[in-house]
Amino acid sequence: MKNCLLILLCLLSTKVFAQEGVAVTGKVIDEKTNLPLEYVGIVLTSKVDSIKKVGVVSNKSGEFSFRNVLNGDYLVKISAMGYNPTSKAIHVNGKILNLGTLKMKEDAIALKDVSIAGKYATATIKKDTVEFNADAYKTQPNAAVEDLLKKLPGVTIDKDGSILVQGQKVTRLTVDGKDFFGTDPKTATKNLPADVIAKVQLIDSKTLEAKATGIDDGQREKVLNLTIKEDKKNGWFGNANLFGGTTDKYNSYLSANHFTKKMQFAILGMSNNVSNASFQYEDLSSFTGGNLGNIFAPPGGGGFSINVNNGRTTIGGSGVFDNSAMGAVTTHSGGVNFSNSWGAKDKLTLSSSYFTYFSKGLGTRFSNVQDINEDDVLRTNEISNRNSDNQAHRFNFKIEYHPDSLTDLTFRSNAILNYTTNINSRDFNTTLDLAGKTNDGNQFLDQRNFTPAFFGELSATRRLKKGSVIISLNGTQNTFNSNWLNQSIINNYQAGGVDITDLNQQAEQQNKSRSTSVAINYIRPIIDKKLNSNIAYIRNDGKVDAQQSTLSYNPLNNTYDTVVPDLSNLLENRTWTQTARLGLIYNRKQWTYNLGFGFQETGLDASAFNSAGVNINNIERKYYNILPRFSLNFRNTNNQTLQLNYNASVNLPSVNDLQPVQNNTNPLYRREGNPDLEARKSHRLSVNFNTFSADNNKYWNGYFLINYSLDDVGNSIIYRDGIQYVQPVNVDGNYYINTGTNFGQPTKIKGLRTGYGINLFVSHGTSFINNEKNITDRYNFGPNANVSYDIDDKINAGIYISVQYSRVNNSQPGAIDNKYFNFSNSASLSYEFIKNTRLSGELQHNGTAGRADGFNNNVFLLNAGFEQYFMNRRITLALKGFDILNQNTNIDRTINGSRIEDIRFNTITRYFYLSLNYKISKAGASKERSNPRSTVN
């Protein structure tokens, strides 16, 4: 592993570091005013090899510098929006070369009409920001911001709508620098019209601490900021859409926005029966601080998993969102977003949003499961029907106050209220490959859940004469309430006979959790701002009361009054951590080093009580650990970056894993917590590099991540009569590796862009099957490629190809090594063959090979239609078809340790619809062109 990492670092550094040479310097000024020009692009091209190019931008003084230029002949090209480009031939002969003062002349034509073809500066690099001029990228009429982003070099959109910039995920999106509907980027990208966007800024944003203190700690997050055109800030803009189709399909949608320089107000609304429903993963994550398990893990110890498929998040086993978006779903949703600022330099800023949805679904689920069972394989087939009814309410609130230039105060809070009803009936059977049929049966489960969760945080920063102090306080309050009726019959086949288990139970779960945290961080310069020290203290406290009560049916009095001891108990769990951190931050011109150690005490105090209130178990644990962390960041003027991060962490087991009570809501899967679990210790190392050239819009990036754990949580599985009895246990040596690279560039053909990528995921996990150790090694590997072709507003075309090869190996003697392929390909075309009449179509191919019988698919999903525009394209009338070939299916595969599960859902198939879209555009009279050289910080 050490040798691999050394080789990787050497490869990453080959493009970052150049050979020894001399410096070429100069200064750029305005010919008329003689004022220096900032952020002018200067490109140095070798006359011998024109492919060898290096680009830099001028600083505030108009100065620029190329380092390590080898001897030879070069061409210097200088360009800036609003100026005529200029070039100069130079010769380097081993001595420092100063080009002197270079004057640029304004382009009169560009100043008169900035929209003339070819006069747009597509991209500008400004410090930590790559800024794209939105008008330089053509989109279809009525396109959303998401369609615009797909055209930007280095930007890709996942199937679930997540935004990747040069391979790194965008963690936050703002509109004119302000939050838009909380922290979910997709709310803006899917709802804001593309034609109201002036600029798209991709920002390597510093941490809040770095911004507050002015001391760069080298850490970055990807933030996407959208700026609204000035003439759209004096009125309303958005879209209203309504369609009706065959087979009673309908969809209605409204997006209305009103922005000023200080204020934002937006309204969203949607109603449909075409399964456009369910929370996205980011919605759930934003309400739990990134830890969904603390809220959604069932307190009774049932199976718990989080799966994202085609943008929909399924939390399996908890009953909270468990398959709530399955099948045909009818949804009604809407929300409002508001933000405003007051005072000079936005002294006070407030932002808030509310979003709600109601959904009802009818779904049928077919599954085929393979479980390793010593020297045999257990196969389970199941058909289930679910009737779900859900409603959710989401709130976000944030206020920032800057009473003076030295003080920053921020308060934010959010809340989510969720109500879920799931009525599920299932039929199942299990068979061993060698031993034959094991059992069959059926179940009826009626489950009702209510899950409120609240979060609040207050932070304050004060800059002192020497250094800065940051204090933050936060707290959470989460409650999980669930009750269900569970009726099942299982026929166990053994020794030539049948043993029948008849279950009729009523149960109730309640999980109340509270947590608080306080952090104090002091940063002080030691040598100017080059060397800085960091001292911090962090205290976290948590309290969880998890209770489950299960009653059996009494036929004598027709009530549920008999306590089931194995399925009833109470766990009181208290945890705490306190950490003292010491660190040093060393800043050079291109390098930042951040080294630190954390001295952490971790504590656990838990007590379990049976249904009679008798204490049956106590757990008291304390851990003392030294946790190192290190980061290295490199960034040069050519927009090449290299980041290396390492950190160690200790995590206590969850209540779900500790509580010694069984959950039997799945008759074939019984899980019970383990109070003897130890804390997990993890080591995480990541390496990322990025290069981007604004001169030719080429990008190249790569990433490498490894996570290694000691005392990780694995499963001990015992098979009896075709039923799994599962308990979490500690295992050593689990790890996973995720690595890949992406490359993209335009071609010599106008409007044609290409992109390529490849990724590899490896995991190594340990479990125990009937007390025998099993090692599961998983490999996912695959390339992808995309081609796009855009000619103004007339033709837009694209092709995307992706192949993923997966292989799963298990060490158990009877294990079957599994290997299969996933194919995800698409082709799209939009062509305005007659003025104001457009033909559009998209063909998606989803294929698999190597899965269980009946779960391999080779589906071609064709959506196509015509659009007719009226009233200067404010009204669009469209006739379209969905799944014209009538092949739509919803098939998914999940792998967890020694289990492989293939799932197929019922889904919506072919229908045709007529759509009417009205573009809301009631802007003010202000249409003055802003300074073409101005940029947004």
Side-chain angles (χ1 to χ4, degrees), residues 246-264:
T246 58
T247 63
D248 297 325
K249 296 296 184 292
Y250 77 91
N251 190 6
S252 59
Y253 172 80
L254 171 68
S255 169
N257 307 270
H258 177 60
F259 289 0
T260 69
K261 291 184 177 180
K262 294 279 189 179
M263 187 270 290
Q264 298 179 2

Side-chain angles (χ1 to χ4, degrees), residues 395-444:
F395 306 86
N396 287 283
F397 179 81
K398 181 180 179 181
I399 186 168
E400 297 178 82
Y401 180 53
H402 311 283
D404 54 55
S405 60
L406 300 177
T407 308
D408 301 312
L409 299 172
T410 302
F411 173 75
R412 66 184 181 96
S413 66
N414 52 46
I416 186 169
L417 304 176
N418 192 80
Y419 304 84
T420 304
T421 298
N422 288 317
I423 300 175
N424 191 44
S425 60
R426 68 172 83 182
D427 294 284
F428 52 84
N429 65 80
T430 64
T431 304
L432 289 167
D433 282 358
L434 300 180
K437 189 172 184 178
T438 303
N439 65 45
D440 59 33
N442 59 75
Q443 180 197 28
F444 174 81

Side-chain angles (χ1 to χ4, degrees), residues 526-813:
I526 298 176
I527 303 175
D528 296 327
K529 289 189 178 182
K530 291 185 178 180
L531 182 63
N532 305 274
S533 63
N534 173 259
I535 302 174
Y537 172 78
I538 303 170
R539 171 84 187 198
N540 296 289
D541 288 274
K543 180 72 164 60
V544 177
D545 294 328
Q547 183 175 3
Q548 177 175 315
S549 175
T550 305
L551 303 175
S552 286
Y553 176 72
N554 186 346
L556 298 178
N557 55 17
N558 196 30
T559 61
Y560 295 86
D561 60 3
T562 305
V563 175
V564 184
D566 290 342
L567 303 177
S568 305
N569 77 359
L570 168 67
L571 180 68
E572 296 178 350
N573 182 42
R574 176 177 171 262
T575 61
W576 71 91
T577 62
Q578 52 181 350
T579 308
R581 290 182 179 174
L582 300 175
L584 291 174
I585 303 170
Y586 179 51
N587 290 294
R588 299 179 62 187
K589 188 171 184 179
Q590 295 183 337
W591 295 88
T592 300
Y593 306 88
N594 193 329
L595 172 66
F597 293 89
F599 303 90
Q600 180 172 297
E601 178 194 61
T602 307
L604 168 66
D605 185 358
S607 298
F609 303 86
N610 63 17
S611 57
V614 178
N615 189 316
I616 57 175
N617 194 38
N618 290 304
I619 310 170
E620 292 186 16
R621 305 266 171 76
K622 281 188 178 180
Y623 306 92
Y624 297 92
N625 300 95
I626 298 176
L627 305 176
R629 58 185 173 86
F630 173 73
S631 69
L632 177 152
N633 290 267
F634 169 82
R635 176 183 299 273
N636 64 15
T637 55
N638 296 330
N639 204 37
Q640 298 169 329
T641 65
L642 173 67
Q643 298 174 329
L644 184 149
N645 290 278
Y646 163 78
N647 69 283
S649 61
V650 175
N651 299 99
L652 291 167
S654 68
V655 172
N656 177 45
D657 289 333
L658 288 173
Q659 189 176 22
V661 66
Q662 195 177 100
N663 185 299
N664 66 341
T665 53
N666 184 339
L668 301 181
Y669 186 89
R670 312 287 180 88
R671 192 176 191 275
E672 183 176 343
N674 179 3
D676 296 324
L677 288 176
E678 296 288 338
R680 180 176 70 247
K681 299 90 178 176
S682 298
H683 300 268
R684 181 184 177 95
L685 173 69
S686 65
V687 182
N688 294 273
F689 76 91
N690 286 274
T691 68
F692 175 74
S693 173
D695 174 59
N696 53 24
N697 284 339
K698 286 185 180 180
Y699 71 90
W700 178 42
N701 65 72
Y703 56 92
F704 175 85
L705 168 67
I706 180 170
N707 192 94
Y708 181 83
S709 298
L710 299 172
D711 284 325
D712 200 2
V713 177
N715 285 327
S716 175
I717 305 171
I718 304 294
Y719 290 92
R720 290 198 302 269
D721 301 326
I723 300 174
Q724 291 187 73
Y725 295 87
V726 181
Q727 187 175 50
V729 294
N730 287 121
V731 296
D732 284 336
N734 283 1
Y735 66 85
Y736 63 87
I737 298 173
N738 190 16
T739 184
T741 185
N742 297 280
F743 174 79
Q745 66 173 357
T747 66
K748 294 182 178 180
I749 301 175
K750 181 183 178 182
L752 184 65
R753 285 179 51 208
T754 60
Y756 315 93
I758 193 167
N759 62 80
L760 170 68
F761 178 83
V762 179
S763 67
H764 177 91
T766 304
S767 60
F768 292 87
I769 301 175
N770 288 339
N771 298 318
E772 294 292 330
K773 187 175 182 179
N774 179 63
I775 303 295
T776 301
D777 290 315
R778 179 180 177 182
Y779 309 88
N780 288 344
F781 172 80
N784 63 77
N786 65 83
V787 179
S788 65
Y789 181 63
D790 301 297
I791 299 296
D792 299 327
D793 292 325
K794 295 297 182 182
I795 299 178
N796 309 102
I799 297 175
Y800 177 82
I801 300 173
S802 175
V803 179
Q804 283 286 321
Y805 172 74
S806 298
R807 184 180 181 92
V808 181
N809 297 331
N810 290 280
S811 64
Q812 283 270 7

